[in-house]
Structures are given as C-alpha cells and as structure tokens.
Amino acid sequence: MTDDLFAPLTIRETTVRNRVMVSPMCQYSCDTDGLATDWHEVHLGSRATGGAGIVMTEATAVEPRGRITPNDLGIWSDEHAEALAPITDFIADRGATSAIQLAHAGRKASKTRPWDGSDPLSPDEGGWETLAPSATPYPYEEGRAETRKMDRDDVDGLVEDFAVAAERALDAGFDVAEVHAAHGYLLHEFLSPVTNDRDDEYGGDFEGRTRLLREVTAAVREVWPDDRPVFVRVSASDWLPDRESWTVEDTARLGPLLAEAGADLIDVSSGGVHPDQQIPQTGPNYQVRYAERVAENTDALVGAVGGITEPAQADALIRNGRADLAIVGREHLRDPYFALHAAEALGATDRVEVPVQYRRGFQ
C-alpha cells in the first residue's frame, strides 16, 4: 500500500503515529536563562493534543552564547533538562513523539526579540560576544557585540557542547534529537563559503567546511540511544547566485555524509546566511524540490518544509513519495489541531485519537 499522511513511520525502533511534524519555531518566551516556562508546555502540548506525529521544540541553545535572544530556550544545564521533562511527559501522554532541536546561533546571536525589533544587543544592553567561523559580523547591523573567530579549542568545545546537550535532552525524555545546521546559524556558517574563510581543517574546500557538522552529528549519534533517531536540519541553498555560496548540489552531496555520520532524517529548509539572499519563489511547497534532490542522493529519510498549509497538500507529499515527513510550521501557529482537522478533511478520523474532552467538536 502507498503510505499517506496518517501512515505510521518507524525510524530505528521509534514509531511515529503519523507523518505530520511540528516545525521548530522560536517562541522567545523564556523569562530567565533559557528555562522552559508554562508557555512552552502549553504551546508544545497543544500541538501534541492536536494530533501531530512529532512535536519539536524551538532552536534550543547548547550554551548561553548560542541563543539568538536572551529569551531563547536552552539546555546547557541539568536545570534546563528538569524544566523540559514535564513537557516531554505530556507529549508522550498524548501519543506524540517529542523532539528537540539542538542549536547554536553563531554570529546571529545576541539580539532582541522580533517584536522588539531584532536589534543587535551591545554588551551594555546585556549582549554578548558572538562566535563564528570567521571574524565577520552579520551584515548591516551596527552596535552589536564583537564577533570572534573560533579557535580550535572553541571548535572542540562546541562538539562537546552538542554531545552533552544531547545527553541532557535524553534525560529530559526526548525521543528525537535534531542538529540545527540551517538558516545562517553557526553550523550553517561553517558550511557556507560566504561565512567561512578559514584556512585550517574546518575551512577551505567542501570537506573542510562540512567537517564540523559531520563531527557534531557523529557526537550526538554516539550519545543518543540506538533505538532513537537523529535528524539534521540544513539550508539547501544560500540563495546568493552572484557569489560563491552553499548550493542545492552541495546539500545533495552532503546528504550521504550526514547519513554516514548517523543522521536518520534530513530536514531540508533553505536560506538565512546573508540578508542579500534572493529566494527565487515562495508559496505552496516551494522548498519541497530541495528535499527531493537530497533524497535522490541518500538513503536517509527526508522531511519537507515550506508553505505546507492544506491537508490534501500534505497528504500528497507523502503519497507521491516526495518526502517522508510533512513538516508544518506557520499553519500550526494558526491551528494547533491541524492534524485532527486534516484527518477530518481526508476522511481518516478512524486513524487519529481525538481527546475525549474534545470529541464533541469532532462529531
């Protein structure tokens, strides 16, 4: 039989109840020091109640300097894991699979929240030194704290930070760990020649620029249980056609290397490394073709993102073999119960569990 949106998906020994995943979306809602709050429990828990197969946290910083804003989620201490544990318990109780996106913002760190302007924070305003493969700050931003080129100790420390964060995520009860290497954040900065002008083993050619991501993926895989999946999110293209940059073909070449390092699924997005990017088009399924290109080159599973808003659209991605997961972002902000409503629209209500408290609304 052809798989559809509500077919279970088994990755290693972890079975996801359907092919709908809540995309990692920053909430910028921590009060202090990256600790999860009631907001995170309600936000993530409602999407699990709403029928999604995988519910993933926002980008969760592996060390304090890895936050985009002071209000970002973190997992650099046992206290952070303890704050997240009730959330994973609730997600599991609702039958969904919990996932965490492990991240470091690199040179795009130390900013105010979007609704406060996304302005760079100076040290006097509570900002911090940002780290990057090269000592070049994110363009067109005045007044931010210094961007420092990472030395070898920083690089080694970062790999360790991701591994230890994964161990804490496991203690918190997560089923899936995702390495964030997209959207212009630190691991993507190492991939792209736009942001990486190093001349050591972590720069230069394709092998050098991909080395850190491969090492981080392997380090997370090493501490993650064999029966649970590791995902990696990548930006398929920098969308900078007028200069040497990271391209879709680079991403396709990277796919099998990530699988070799231990990635079970590649979550394919795009862009974010430079504000001059020129995205050729947006709209429904506008990034799906990049996931398909990656899938052509690797045995790893792929997730498709971008403009997925309708039940039939998400179902067609799976039925037509274009992706293994439909990763739904903004539509889950509009409708926490997207998966339950999709089941109604697709005539699949017998394949989802509507909470007894809500069944009057689904009859």
Side-chain angles (χ1 to χ4, degrees), residues 40-60:
H40 298 93
E41 184 163 9
V42 173
H43 167 69
L44 297 169
S46 62
R47 276 77 192 165
T49 302
I54 298 176
V55 177
M56 184 172 286
T57 70
E58 64 195 79
T60 306

Side-chain angles (χ1 to χ4, degrees), residues 278-296:
Q278 301 173 40
I279 301 175
Q281 67 177 70
T282 58
N285 290 349
Y286 78 100
Q287 297 183 101
V288 172
R289 63 183 184 273
Y290 317 137
E292 290 181 295
R293 180 66 189 91
V294 173
E296 290 172 1

Side-chain angles (χ1 to χ4, degrees), residues 149-333:
K149 178 179 178 179
M150 295 171 66
D151 61 25
R152 182 56 187 267
D153 288 342
D154 294 321
V155 171
D156 291 344
L158 183 74
V159 176
E160 179 68 10
D161 287 339
F162 270 90
V164 172
E167 291 178 318
R168 290 198 173 102
L170 186 61
D171 290 341
F174 285 97
D175 302 304
V176 178
E178 176 168 275
V179 175
H180 192 4
H183 302 157
Y185 299 120
L186 186 57
L187 293 175
H188 181 189
E189 291 164 18
F190 270 86
L191 294 176
S192 176
V194 173
T195 43
N196 184 347
D197 63 7
R198 302 174 72 95
D199 58 7
D200 64 3
E201 63 267 46
Y202 292 95
D205 61 9
F206 176 90
E207 181 177 357
R209 287 183 284 106
T210 63
R211 186 183 308 277
L212 181 57
L213 176 54
R214 291 184 281 116
E215 290 182 354
V216 166
T217 302
V220 171
R221 176 74 272 169
E222 185 174 355
V223 302
W224 205 245
D226 287 343
D227 60 346
R228 303 188 194 191
V230 170
F231 294 0
V232 178
R233 173 165 273 201
V234 295
S235 277
S237 174
D238 290 340
W239 297 130
L240 295 166
D242 298 330
R243 68 188 78 176
E244 184 184 8
S245 62
W246 184 259
T247 69
V248 175
E249 291 309 308
D250 290 326
T251 304
R253 183 179 173 190
L254 177 63
L257 300 179
L258 292 178
E260 184 179 345
D264 301 291
L265 181 141
I266 302 171
D267 173 355
V268 186
S269 188
S270 68
V273 84
H274 197 283
D276 289 347
Q277 65 183 12
Q278 301 173 40
I279 301 175
Q281 67 177 70
T282 58
N285 290 349
Y286 78 100
Q287 297 183 101
V288 172
R289 63 183 184 273
Y290 317 137
E292 290 181 295
R293 180 66 189 91
V294 173
E296 290 172 1
N297 221 41
T298 179
D299 292 332
L301 303 176
V302 297
V305 307
I308 302 172
T309 61
E310 299 293 335
Q313 173 195 13
D315 187 48
L317 292 178
I318 308 303
R319 287 184 181 272
N320 295 332
R322 303 186 72 188
D324 299 287
L325 281 178
I327 302 176
V328 179
R330 287 179 174 85
E331 191 60 28
H332 268 122
L333 298 181

